Amino acid sequence: MTAQVDYLVVLFTATSGASGELLGSDEKELVQLAWQLVDVQNKKLGKVNELLIKPDLSDLTEEKEEEEEEDVVEERAEEENRSKADCVFTATSLETALNLFHLQLTNEVNSAGAGTSVCLCTDGQLHIRQVIHPEAASKNILVPDCFYSFFDLRKEFKKHFPASDLKALNVHIMAESLSIPADVPAMWDPSATLDPSAVLPAEVAVQQVQIMANIVLALLAEPFSHTFSNQERVSEKFETGTCSKMEKVCDNTVIRARGLPWQSSDQDIARFFRGLNIAKGGAALCLNAQGRRNGEALVRFVSEEHRDLALQRHKHHMGNRYIEVYKATGEDFLKIAGGTSNEVAMFLSREDQIIVRMRGLPFTATHEQVLNFFSPGEGLKETCPVSGGKDGILFVRYPDGRPTGDAFVLFACEEHAQCALRKHKEILGRRYIELFKSTAAEVQQVLNRYSSAPLIPVAPAPLVSILPTVSLLPPPGSMRDCLRLRGLPYTASIEDILTFLGEFTHDIRPHGVHMVLNQQGRPSGDCFIQMTSAERALQASQRLHKHVMSSQRGSNSRYVEVFPCSAEEMGLVLMGGSLSHTHTHTHTRTRSGTGLSPPPCKSRRLSPPSYSFTPAPPVLQTEAAAAAAALYPPMGQVLLSPRPLPPGHAYYPASAQLYMNYTAYYPSPPGSPTTMGFFPSPSSLSSPGGLVRMPGLTYNSNGVKDLINAVQGYQSPAESVSLLSSSLIGQSSGGDAPLMSLPALMTKPAAGQYLDLTLL
C-alpha cells in the first residue's frame, strides 16, 4: 500500500469505433482525450482539457510544410464551439498527442504547487489497457510513464458499495448512487444505449470527465473519506521464467493465440497483448510433431480480468496477420511450458537472457565448436559472445544420451542475439546451422519431447498368431490403364482437370476421376483418372507431363506431373497405403516403373464402386490362401467392383457419360450404407467355419451388437460372436479384441489359424 497521491487526473478516451464495454475491441484509432485535474488535498477541480487527434491527410507543398512545422495548435474555446472544455488542443498523430498530454499535465501540476505526485483515474480498465497501450505498441510509440499506473474509479467506488457489479457500473450509476446531478444529453443515454458499437458524440467525453471529477470529490468528502492508495499497474516489460509441472495454473487465466507468424517470439506476443499483465514466463510457443513452431501460443495472465480483456483482442492484427484468441486451460499451459529437468532449470535460471535455438548441428558438435561458431571471424568487428561460456550452451539429447542436433544458447542482450542471428545458415563442420530466437517455454517443450517419449514405440505382442505377412504392393503384371496427376492446385475442380486433359477427356471412363483428399477432408493435390486403355493412358502421360494447369477458382497455376499406373496401385493409394520407389518385390521395379510417390492420404478413402478389374494373383502360399482370398477380395475389386443396388437407390442415371457429376462421387467413407448391397458370403469352400480376430474395438462400443453390424454382409450367426475376457489381455472390457467365427473359412480353429480383420 502506498500513500495517497497529491493529484488525480480524471481521464476519458474515445476512438473512432465502438464505445462503452466494447471500447478498443475493434482496433479503431484514438481520436479524443479529455481530462481534468483534481487536487486531492484541497478538494479542488482544475480546468477541463480536450485533445483532438486529427491526422493531416492533405498534400502539402513545401511552403505549407514549413509554415505548419508545429503540428500542435492551442485554441481557446469560442462561443461557436460545441465543446464545453476550457482548453482545446489538436494533434496530428498519437505520439504527438501523448507527449502534449504529458507536457500540459506537468505544467498544470507545477503551476498548482500543492504537490508533485500525480496518478491517472479512469472509468474502468479499457481506456488505458485496451486503447492507449495497444495502439502505441502497434505503432512502436514510447508511452509516457504516467500511463503505466492508474486508479480504476469503479473499483474505488466498490469499496464503499460492495454490492455493485463492476461490469455493470458506469459513471452515471455511480453519480446516482452518490446523489450527484448528471446532465445526460438526449442523444446519448447510457442506460438506453442498445448498440455499444455506436460512436459517441464529441461532447460526451467532456461531460464524462466532469461527472467523474465530481464522483472523486464525493468519495474524498465525508462520510466516505476515501483514500486513493492502491494503483493499477501496467507491466512495462515481459519477464521470462520457468514453470514447474507441479505448479497449479488457474483455468481462467490462460488463452490460446492462433495464427502467429512463424518467426514470432514471446516478446512479440507480449507486445501484441501490451497493456495486459502476463504472468512471469507466461508466454509459451507451441511446437508441432517435427519440433517446429505451429503458429500457436498459450499465454497465462495474472488474473481472470486480464484474461477476459485479452479475449476482446480476438482477430486483432500482428503485422499483416490477424490473431485468433480463445480460452484455454491450465493443463494445456503446463503441457507446453511445464518442466521438471534440473538441467533446464539451471540453464534458465539466469534472468534477462536472450535465448537462441540452433538446429541442424553435427552429432559430434562440442561446446568449443559452438563458442567458435559465434566468435567474430577475421576482419569482422561484430561480436556475439555466449553468456556464461560453456554454461550458456544446452545440448538437447535423447534419453540414451545421443544428440538430437539441437541446442540452445544464451546471450546477454538483444544486440548480441541479433548479431548471432545474422549467422543463420552458416557452416559448422560440414552442415549449415539454422538459428531462431527462442523462449524458455520452447526449451521446456523440446526437452520434454525428447526426454519423455520413447524413441521407438513398442506395440504389445499379439494375443493370437496371425497369418504370414501379406505384401500390399500390387502385382507386377497389372495393366497400367490409369493416370495419376500429382501437384494439382488446391483450388482445382473437376472442370479444371477435364480442361487440362483436353482431347484425352473422351477416353475417361464414366465416373473415372478420383480426387484424393487428406485427413482433414481437403484436396491433397493428387488425382487418379481411369482411362479406356493403357495405350491412351501412356500417350496422355507423355504429352501432358509437367504441363501447367490453371484453376478457375484461384489465380495460382502449377505444373502437373502425370504418370501411368494400374488400378491396383490406384486402389492401394486410395486405401491409405503407400508405394515406395526403393521397395523391392520379387521382380525388379525401377523408379520409372511405378511413377508414384508416397500417397498424401493416410486415412482410408474409398472410391465409389463403379468398375471391375482383373483380379490380382494370390499372394499367400499357404493353405490359408484360399480362405484369405475368400474373405479379402483383390484390392482393385474391393474398391471398384460393382455392388448390387436395390431398386430406388441408384446414384447415377443409366444413360450418358456422367464423369461431370462428382458431387456424390468423391472418395466415400470406409463403411457402406446399410441400404446398399454387400459382398456375398463365400460358398466355394467346404470348410464349415473359421475365426476372425478384431483388435482395436472402441471402448464405447455396444459389444456384440456392433460386431454383428460390422460383418452383416458375411452371414455370421449371432451366437458365434464372443468377447475375450479382459483378464487374458490385461485391458478393460471395452478395448478387448473379440473373436468371431465365420462360416466357410476354416475347419478347426487350431493354433495359428486366425485372421486379423485389420488387414481389410
Side-chain angles (χ1 to χ4, degrees):
M1 180 177 293
T2 58
Q4 180 156 299
V5 296
D6 299 325
Y7 295 100
L8 285 177
V9 182
V10 179
L11 177 68
F12 185 87
T13 64
T15 67
S16 59
S19 59
E21 296 304 315
L22 296 181
L23 181 66
S25 62
D26 51 5
E27 285 190 290
K28 296 297 183 181
E29 293 186 344
L30 180 67
V31 296
Q32 187 181 21
L33 276 171
W35 73 92
Q36 186 174 14
L37 191 67
V38 179
D39 188 343
V40 176
Q41 301 296 332
N42 300 322
K43 298 180 179 59
K44 294 182 180 180
L45 299 178
K47 59 184 179 181
V48 179
N49 303 275
E50 184 179 9
L51 174 58
L52 303 177
I53 304 175
K54 299 179 179 180
D56 189 2
L57 302 179
S58 60
D59 296 329
L60 300 177
T61 62
E62 294 182 0
E63 295 180 359
K64 290 184 178 181
E65 289 179 355
E66 293 178 359
E67 295 176 358
E68 300 182 9
E69 287 181 356
E70 297 183 359
D71 54 358
V72 179
V73 180
E74 181 177 352
E75 300 175 354
R76 289 294 176 183
E78 300 178 358
E79 293 181 358
E80 66 271 16
N81 193 349
R82 292 184 179 181
S83 177
K84 298 180 181 179
D86 300 320
C87 294
V88 180
F89 308 91
T90 60
T92 59
S93 65
L94 176 63
E95 184 176 11
T96 304
L98 296 180
N99 292 333
L100 175 62
F101 169 83
H102 184 62
L103 177 62
Q104 294 297 327
L105 180 60
T106 303
N107 293 338
E108 189 173 358
V109 170
N110 292 336
S111 61
T116 57
S117 59
V118 183
C119 188
L120 303 180
C121 181
T122 61
D123 175 28
Q125 306 272 320
L126 302 181
H127 300 275
I128 300 295
R129 298 191 185 276
Q130 297 287 75
V131 176
I132 294 179
H133 281 282
E135 183 177 349
S138 64
K139 297 180 178 179
N140 294 322
I141 295 175
L142 186 63
V143 178
D145 295 338
C146 60
F147 289 100
Y148 285 96
S149 62
F150 66 98
F151 287 104
D152 186 347
L153 188 58
R154 298 184 184 184
K155 293 184 178 180
E156 302 298 325
F157 176 84
K158 186 176 175 63
K159 294 179 181 178
H160 300 282
F161 297 87
S164 303
D165 183 8
L166 284 177
K167 295 183 178 180
L169 279 178
N170 57 51
V171 293
H172 296 275
I173 295 178
M174 291 186 285
E176 183 179 355
S177 302
L178 295 172
S179 302
I180 298 175
D183 183 17
V184 181
M187 61 171 45
W188 187 77
D189 183 1
S191 61
T193 299
L194 300 178
D195 185 11
S197 62
V199 181
L200 289 181
E203 61 271 17
V204 170
V206 174
Q207 185 213 34
Q208 292 283 96
V209 167
Q210 293 172 340
I211 298 176
M212 291 168 61
N214 291 327
I215 294 175
V216 171
L217 291 180
L219 293 177
L220 292 174
E222 298 290 341
F224 303 106
S225 300
H226 183 71
T227 301
F228 290 85
S229 55
N230 296 324
Q231 302 175 2
E232 297 281 332
R233 301 286 182 179
V234 179
S235 299
E236 299 185 33
K237 183 179 179 182
F238 170 69
E239 297 183 20
T240 60
T242 59
C243 178
S244 172
K245 285 187 177 292
M246 305 303 296
E247 186 175 346
K248 186 177 181 180
V249 178
C250 180
D251 291 341
N252 296 327
T253 61
V254 182
I255 62 95
R256 180 185 297 273
R258 182 180 300 167
L260 298 169
W262 308 116
Q263 70 275 15
S264 60
S265 64
D266 53 355
Q267 298 295 336
D268 297 321
I269 297 173
R271 188 180 300 109
F272 176 79
F273 290 108
R274 183 68 58 83
L276 308 179
N277 296 346
I278 301 176
K280 184 176 180 180
L285 294 167
C286 301
L287 306 179
N288 58 18
Q290 289 74 36
R292 302 176 185 269
R293 297 174 185 173
N294 61 4
E296 294 188 6
L298 291 168
V299 185
R300 176 189 178 190
F301 294 92
V302 295
S303 66
E304 182 179 359
E305 180 183 24
H306 289 244
R307 193 282 307 265
D308 293 339
L309 293 177
L311 293 174
Q312 294 185 11
R313 301 193 187 183
H314 179 60
K315 290 196 174 181
H316 282 204
H317 288 77
M318 179 185 292
N320 296 326
R321 300 175 63 98
Y322 71 84
I323 308 301
E324 300 175 4
V325 182
Y326 304 100
K327 292 181 180 180
T329 64
E331 182 181 359
D332 295 336
F333 182 80
L334 288 177
K335 288 180 180 178
I336 301 300
T340 57
S341 172
N342 294 330
E343 183 182 10
V344 177
M346 290 295 295
F347 178 76
L348 299 176
S349 61
R350 307 176 183 87
E351 298 183 0
D352 300 330
Q353 301 286 330
I354 309 299
I355 306 174
V356 172
R357 181 180 179 181
M358 305 180 69
R359 192 167 61 196
L361 287 169
F363 294 145
T364 58
T366 62
H367 291 83
E368 290 76 11
Q369 290 177 322
V370 174
L371 293 175
N372 293 333
F373 178 79
F374 289 109
S375 61
E378 297 182 1
L380 297 179
K381 296 182 179 180
E382 291 184 333
T383 60
C384 45
V386 177
S387 178
K390 293 183 180 181
D391 295 335
I393 303 173
L394 177 64
F395 287 101
V396 183
R397 301 182 183 277
Y398 289 110
D400 58 0
R402 295 185 297 110
T404 63
D406 283 26
F408 294 93
V409 184
L410 293 178
F411 294 93
C413 61
E414 184 71 25
E415 180 182 358
H416 290 170
Q418 292 299 328
C419 177
L421 292 174
R422 284 193 282 270
K423 293 180 175 289
H424 180 61
K425 290 195 174 182
E426 289 192 7
I427 302 299
L428 174 60
R430 295 185 178 180
R431 305 188 63 176
Y432 72 86
I433 308 301
E434 296 178 286
L435 300 176
F436 306 94
K437 199 172 181 180
S438 185
T439 66
E442 184 173 350
V443 177
Q444 295 280 22
Q445 278 189 86
V446 174
L447 267 295
N448 291 341
R449 185 184 304 275
Y450 285 114
S451 61
S452 59
L455 300 181
I456 302 176
V458 180
L463 177 66
V464 293
S465 302
I466 60 175
L467 293 174
T469 304
V470 180
S471 174
L472 294 179
L473 283 177
S478 303
M479 181 182 298
R480 306 175 70 80
D481 58 349
C482 299
L483 290 177
R484 181 179 187 181
L485 274 60
R486 186 170 64 188
L488 300 174
Y490 293 117
T491 57
S493 61
I494 300 297
E495 291 77 9
D496 297 327
I497 296 174
L498 297 179
T499 303
F500 174 78
L501 292 176
E503 61 178 284
F504 297 100
T505 303
H506 303 287
D507 300 304
I508 303 176
R509 295 190 182 187
H511 317 298
V513 179
H514 302 256
M515 300 288 288
V516 181
L517 308 180
N518 59 18
Q519 293 179 349
Q520 289 74 36
R522 299 175 181 175
S524 64
D526 279 29
C527 173
F528 286 95
I529 299 175
Q530 289 182 277
M531 307 293 287
T532 55
S533 65
E535 292 75 14
R536 295 297 289 173
L538 180 60
Q539 293 176 11
S541 64
Q542 292 175 345
R543 189 174 303 178
L544 300 176
H545 184 57
K546 291 194 175 181
H547 281 207
V548 175
M549 175 188 292
S550 300
S551 173
Q552 299 177 0
R553 293 182 293 178
S555 59
N556 59 329
S557 59
R558 303 179 61 177
Y559 78 85
V560 178
E561 298 175 289
V562 183
F563 306 101
C565 66
S566 64
E568 285 76 16
E569 290 172 332
M570 176 184 66
L572 175 60
V573 175
L574 293 177
M575 283 286 288
S578 62
L579 294 173
S580 174
H581 296 304
T582 58
H583 184 85
T584 57
H585 207 273
T586 55
H587 67 291
T588 302
R589 186 185 296 271
T590 63
R591 185 180 186 91
S592 60
T594 61
L596 293 172
S597 62
C601 182
K602 296 298 182 183
S603 60
R604 294 184 178 183
R605 301 278 182 182
L606 303 186
S607 299
S610 303
Y611 312 96
S612 60
F613 296 89
T614 303
V619 178
L620 298 178
Q621 303 299 328
T622 63
E623 158 176 51
L631 183 59
Y632 306 110
M635 190 162 298
Q637 182 179 348
V638 170
L639 286 174
L640 305 172
S641 61
R643 307 177 188 179
L645 299 179
H649 293 282
Y651 281 89
Y652 310 102
S655 61
Q657 302 239 345
L658 295 177
Y659 49 75
M660 292 295 291
N661 180 14
Y662 294 104
T663 55
Y665 169 75
Y666 288 160
S668 59
S672 302
T674 55
T675 57
M676 300 182 64
F678 295 89
F679 292 110
S681 176
S683 58
S684 59
L685 299 181
S686 59
S687 56
L691 293 177
V692 172
R693 176 174 178 258
M694 302 174 66
L697 186 66
T698 57
Y699 285 87
N700 56 354
S701 64
N702 295 325
V704 175
K705 182 179 179 181
D706 288 347
L707 300 180
I708 295 176
N709 293 336
V711 292
Q712 184 175 354
Y714 293 98
Q715 304 176 0
S716 60
E719 61 272 9
S720 65
V721 180
S722 61
L723 295 176
L724 287 182
S725 172
S726 60
S727 61
L728 294 177
I729 56 178
Q731 297 178 347
S732 61
S733 60
D736 292 342
L739 293 181
M740 175 180 292
S741 61
L742 296 178
L745 283 183
M746 298 180 181
T747 304
K748 295 181 180 180
Q753 294 181 338
Y754 295 96
L755 296 179
D756 194 339
L757 203 58
T758 57
L759 295 178
L760 277 177

